[in-house]
Amino acid sequence: MKRALTLDDLMVAGIAVAAGLLAAFLLRILLRWLGKHAERTRWGGDDVIVDALRTLVPWAAFAGGVASAAAVLPLTSAVGRNVNRSLTVLLILVSTITAARVITGLVRAVAQSRSGVAASATIFVNITRVLVLAMGFLVVLQTLGISIAPLLTALGVGGLAVALALQDTLANLFAGVHILASKTIQPGDYIRLSSGEEGYVVDINWRNTTVRQLSNNLVIIPNAQLSGTNMTNFTRPEQQMTLTVQVGVGYDSDLEHVERVTSEVVTEVMTETTGAVPDHEPAVRFHTFGDSRIGFTVILGVGEFSDQYRIKHEFIKRLHRRYREEGIRIPAPARTVALQPGGPGVPEAVIPEAGIPHQREATTLP
């Protein structure tokens, strides 16, 4: 039989609870101090661990104080058992949430370190969080005396029905996991689909992939569609790429002189333009005897896909200026139209087509 509750019991219990609260407050201050030091380190995992412990440790100290208070009070066995079970459930819940934060934080840090610029592969983070929380929920049920065997059996049977009802969702989920596991696409890559969409991969989550276009608009693509379409990844196997520019000069040009001047302009652009590859070797390749010009290709080095527009702009502008200084002629298209007498209905003049720059029309009448 339990003894009667006295004032001393209440005082000791109050001191135990106050000690638990004080310990929680002091530990939180200590962890805040540790967090500031963790921010100075290169490894991001210690930041995640310390931030998660800020939640777990104070609650553990408070639960310890309440447990000590319950131990000194003259409680019945049933009440004491319920109090201990409640405190155990509280600690399990707090520990589960803390573990989910730590593990998902570490997964996010690893994913971002491997993915490149501003990467975020939330699919792995979400799957990890759900698994940890589900295991914690099962442990709580077991602690409360609820058998989880029927629940697992029901989940196994109901899982088939859920899988049939969520075929598209599961297809997108596994397609996203396959995309990241195969490393064909990672956040930060620049891709172009056969359907025409292109841009930087911002995120790959459990259902879709977010692509940011150069116009700063977002394109949302289902993972299953992305996995089943033809696609070009301009970032892999390496981020640097080559850019070709088509140029033409007149037949009266000295091709050795043209090649030397063009190579000098390429070297200048590669050295002075942001995003270019400074150690790129100039490449000029003549390839076509055209109607009014000799065509050739200039190959430029580009640091990444979006740099090509700036580099092409600078190259064309500087090459045009240099050709004018060197007297190298870039011929404009020319067309001669001869009109033969054909009776009534023959036009007396030919009007040049609109929109064709630098075109010469010559009308010859016998």
Side-chain angles (χ1 to χ4, degrees):
M1 183 176 179
K2 290 292 182 179
R3 60 184 177 83
L5 181 64
T6 63
L7 181 60
D8 294 338
D9 295 334
L10 294 176
M11 292 181 60
V12 173
I15 292 174
V17 174
L21 291 174
L22 179 61
F25 177 74
L26 295 177
L27 288 173
R28 190 170 182 82
I29 294 177
L30 176 62
L31 290 171
R32 185 178 301 174
W33 178 79
L34 290 176
K36 294 181 180 179
H37 285 273
E39 293 176 354
R40 303 174 184 175
T41 61
R42 296 182 178 179
W43 185 50
D46 52 358
D47 298 335
V48 176
I49 295 174
V50 173
D51 184 66
L53 290 178
R54 289 181 183 178
T55 303
L56 175 61
V57 174
W59 277 104
F62 173 72
V66 175
S68 300
V72 300
L73 292 176
L75 303 176
T76 62
S77 59
V79 174
R81 185 167 57 253
N82 292 332
V83 170
N84 292 332
R85 182 177 296 177
S86 301
L87 293 175
T88 304
V89 170
L90 175 63
L91 288 179
I92 292 175
L93 290 176
V94 174
S95 301
T96 301
I97 296 175
T98 302
R101 289 182 179 178
V102 172
I103 297 175
T104 55
L106 294 177
V107 170
R108 182 182 292 108
V110 172
Q112 290 180 349
S113 64
R114 293 184 178 182
S115 297
V117 182
S120 174
T122 58
I123 182 171
F124 289 137
V125 175
N126 292 334
I127 292 176
T128 303
R129 181 183 292 110
V130 169
L131 290 177
V132 174
L133 293 178
M135 289 187 292
F137 177 71
L138 294 177
V139 173
V140 169
L141 293 180
Q142 191 70 27
T143 303
L144 294 175
I146 302 174
S147 178
I148 62 175
L151 178 61
L152 295 177
T153 304
L155 289 176
V157 175
L160 180 60
V162 173
L164 293 176
L166 300 177
Q167 291 185 29
D168 294 339
T169 301
L170 293 178
N172 290 322
L173 172 62
F174 289 112
V177 174
H178 171 71
I179 289 172
L180 288 175
S182 61
K183 296 185 178 180
T184 55
I185 306 175
Q186 294 289 321
D189 292 353
Y190 193 96
I191 63 173
R192 175 185 294 164
L193 305 184
S194 59
S195 55
E197 295 88 353
E198 64 178 77
Y200 288 98
V201 178
V202 177
D203 186 26
I204 303 176
N205 57 37
W206 63 275
R207 189 177 186 278
N208 50 53
T209 298
T210 304
V211 175
R212 178 176 57 83
Q213 297 178 321
L214 295 179
S215 58
N216 211 30
N217 297 323
L218 295 180
V219 180
I220 310 301
I221 307 171
N223 292 333
Q225 178 181 342
L226 183 64
S227 178
T229 187
N230 295 332
M231 175 186 55
T232 303
N233 192 334
F234 292 95
T235 308
R236 299 181 183 275
E238 60 181 14
Q239 193 170 14
Q240 292 185 0
M241 55 179 291
T242 56
L243 169 67
T244 59
V245 180
Q246 304 300 324
V247 190
V249 294
Y251 278 92
D252 56 347
S253 302
D254 182 358
L255 297 187
E256 294 293 339
H257 183 217
V258 171
E259 183 176 7
R260 182 175 63 256
V261 171
T262 305
S263 298
E264 292 175 359
V265 174
V266 172
T267 302
E268 178 184 338
V269 171
M270 292 295 99
T271 304
E272 300 178 2
T273 306
T274 304
V277 182
D279 56 352
H280 171 75
E281 183 179 355
V284 179
R285 300 292 182 265
F286 295 95
H287 56 73
T288 304
F289 287 101
D291 294 337
S292 59
R293 64 180 66 190
I294 297 177
F296 61 94
T297 299
V298 181
I299 303 176
L300 307 173
V302 181
E304 60 132 346
F305 185 87
S306 62
D307 294 330
Q308 63 174 311
Y309 305 103
R310 177 173 58 255
I311 294 172
K312 184 185 293 186
H313 165 78
E314 286 294 330
F315 173 72
I316 292 176
K317 185 173 63 176
R318 299 188 187 197
L319 185 67
H320 180 262
R321 182 176 65 246
R322 185 68 184 277
Y323 277 6
R324 293 183 62 181
E325 294 175 355
E326 299 290 338
I328 299 175
R329 187 172 61 89
I330 302 177
R335 183 174 65 185
T336 301
V337 178
L339 297 181
Q340 301 295 334
V346 177
E348 297 181 356
V350 179
I351 301 176
E353 297 180 6
I356 303 179
H358 305 293
Q359 232 177 27
R360 185 176 69 251
E361 291 284 350
T363 304
T364 303
L365 295 176

